[in-house]
Amino acid sequence: MARETIVLTRGEVAAQIDLQEIVPAIEKCLAEFEKGEDLLPPKCIVDLPGGIAACLTGYTKATHKFSMKMGQERKGNVERGLPTIFSTMNLYDPDTGELLLIVESVLATMYRTAAAAAVAANHLARREAGVLAVIGSGQLGRQCVRALSRMRPFRSILLFDIRREQAERLAADLAEEAPAPIRVTDAEEACREADVICTATNSTEPIVRSEWVREGTHLSCMGADLHAKIECRPELLPRCRLFADKVEHCLQRGEASQAVERGILGKDCYAGSLGQVILGQVEGRRGRDEITLFDGIGLGVQDTTVAASIYEQALAKGLGRRVAFS
Ligand SMILES: NC(=O)c1ccc[n+]([C@@H]2O[C@H](COP(=O)([O-])OP(=O)(O)OC[C@H]3O[C@@H](n4cnc5c(N)ncnc54)[C@H](O)[C@@H]3O)[C@@H](O)[C@H]2O)c1
């Protein structure tokens, strides 16, 4: 008999899935991806009358699972009082084709993205890094604070958002959970004081200025996943040793893509991928004064990995509804 499908809502993921279990899974995913045995078909984008539908798929050998994530963006939903993005992900057993999991995947995407930011900081930040700054206090910023603050024994966490009340709400929400005091401040102070800066905004104007970033800082830049988005002033980038989740993708759509287009950086600007650093194939930080920057735009294999981790956790904890589709 076919296995039942587990169905998990966003609320169930938020309340019952442990983000910290996803971090090592994403680390393994990024390393294994370098071995070239995973499958990452091109995205399928459909321009529907009301907005865009995007389908991402991926198979990873490490999980031996296949996932399909379908997202729907409808800008007009603001007037309807609905979220502008809906997304669900299916996880399959590639041998039998059984559907193992259906999970709301806006939050799952934030989890895998924040996990990648944390893995990058763990590999690239200085050992003694004591101050974490997270720029952007939306959905992604929230999970970045949660994932990154557990990576290192930070003394303090600084938040900046262009909407101050958003940052204040996040600071209040995470005050008990966070392992260090959280303070809301402005962009300049956050960057000047930080040893690790994580950017998680949807900005199309640069926020982080070069002169605010001290030598020895690490940046995990996660918000710019389209060419039009940017979070750091282009002048900062030549000072940094750059890493990507996938170099070819980041050259087109990542944090450095505008600097490459303007000729500020060459197409050889990335030292390598984070996966190569994890595998020891490319040197990460080469000295305490070096500025390192991870440009992560997200990969379908990370979706498969987060779905597989959620599935394992749901099985182990008996979570979700079980549906027998056939
Ligand atoms: N790299 C990836 O794999 C990945 C995955 C998911 C989301 N994203 C991207 O991350 C970004 C954030 O997503 P989200 O769901 O958290 O969005 P969100 O709307 O929930 O939050 C964005 C936050 O950024 C703040 N902001 C915007 N411009 C700012 C500025 N100039 N300075 C400071 N704060 C500013 C907003 O006020 C808001 O609080 C988006 O661009 C999204 O596409 C990337």
Side-chain angles (χ1 to χ4, degrees):
M1 211 167 73
R3 276 171 284 179
E4 289 176 329
T5 304
I6 299 179
V7 181
L8 278 177
T9 64
R10 182 187 176 116
E12 287 163 338
V13 172
Q16 294 167 313
I17 296 298
D18 185 358
L19 171 60
Q20 301 312 322
E21 280 194 34
I22 291 164
V23 176
I26 290 293
E27 180 176 42
K28 187 172 175 192
C29 163
L30 290 166
E32 295 287 318
F33 181 62
E34 295 303 323
K35 298 182 181 164
E37 293 171 325
D38 294 347
L39 298 173
L40 188 60
K43 252 188 202 178
C44 167
I45 309 261
V46 185
D47 272 313
L48 293 167
I52 283 178
C55 178
L56 283 87
T57 58
Y59 163 81
T60 81
K61 193 169 177 222
T63 62
H64 193 51
K65 298 281 184 302
F66 175 70
S67 76
M68 187 190 74
K69 180 166 88 172
M70 175 61 88
Q72 304 279 341
E73 190 181 20
R74 297 292 179 280
K75 295 219 159 61
N77 278 0
V78 175
E79 285 99 68
R80 298 183 184 108
L82 291 171
T84 52
I85 294 182
F86 290 104
S87 179
T88 44
M89 181 153 51
N90 292 355
L91 184 74
Y92 299 91
D93 180 322
D95 295 327
T96 62
E98 288 165 292
L99 174 58
L100 303 173
L101 174 76
I102 303 176
V103 61
E104 194 279 344
S105 51
V106 173
L107 185 57
T109 302
M110 301 307 155
Y111 276 20
R112 60 89 156 141
T113 308
V119 169
N122 199 31
H123 282 272
L124 296 170
R126 282 178 302 145
R127 285 290 125 201
E128 65 273 25
V131 178
L132 167 67
V134 177
I135 311 294
S137 302
Q139 303 189 86
L140 181 58
R142 176 176 294 262
Q143 302 311 328
C144 286
V145 174
R146 297 183 68 225
L148 278 146
S149 65
R150 300 270 165 202
M151 275 328 288
R152 295 287 177 87
F154 289 109
R155 287 191 310 280
S156 72
I157 301 165
L158 303 175
L159 303 184
F160 168 70
D161 194 288
I162 201 162
R163 293 182 290 156
R164 191 179 172 95
E165 70 285 1
Q166 183 90 343
E168 279 168 354
R169 191 176 322 128
L170 182 58
D173 287 353
L174 296 184
E176 275 190 26
E177 178 189 332
I182 306 184
R183 186 161 58 82
V184 174
T185 181
D186 58 40
E188 179 170 354
E189 192 194 24
C191 294
R192 284 192 187 277
E193 288 199 10
D195 301 300
V196 172
I197 300 171
C198 175
T199 57
T201 75
N202 50 9
S203 184
T204 51
E205 294 296 329
I207 306 158
V208 180
R209 293 176 182 227
S210 181
E211 64 269 25
W212 296 347
V213 178
R214 283 188 281 134
E215 293 188 340
T217 302
H218 167 74
L219 296 101
S220 288
C221 295
M222 313 309 292
D225 54 358
L226 289 174
H227 182 66
K229 297 183 195 171
I230 185 165
E231 299 185 291
C232 301
R233 285 266 177 107
E235 311 84 75
L236 168 63
L237 303 185
R239 293 176 59 206
C240 304
R241 184 163 166 82
L242 300 172
F243 301 91
D245 50 12
K246 185 166 168 57
V247 169
E248 298 80 357
H249 291 184
C250 286
L251 280 171
Q252 289 174 2
R253 297 191 281 125
E255 181 59 46
S257 64
Q258 293 193 27
V260 171
E261 188 185 56
R262 288 164 56 182
I264 296 170
L265 293 173
K267 288 196 168 145
D268 57 354
C269 59
Y270 291 98
S273 70
L274 179 56
Q276 288 174 311
V277 174
I278 298 166
L279 289 173
Q281 294 172 348
V282 167
E283 204 177 350
R285 167 173 295 280
R286 295 173 302 182
R288 62 182 320 282
D289 288 342
E290 195 160 56
I291 303 173
T292 53
L293 187 151
F294 170 62
D295 189 354
I297 61 170
L299 301 170
V301 290
Q302 295 172 10
D303 292 322
T304 310
T305 303
V306 72
S309 175
I310 290 171
Y311 180 64
E312 294 304 327
Q313 292 191 49
L315 276 182
K317 299 177 194 170
L319 309 177
R321 257 133 302 132
R322 314 283 157 136
V323 181
F325 279 109
S326 41

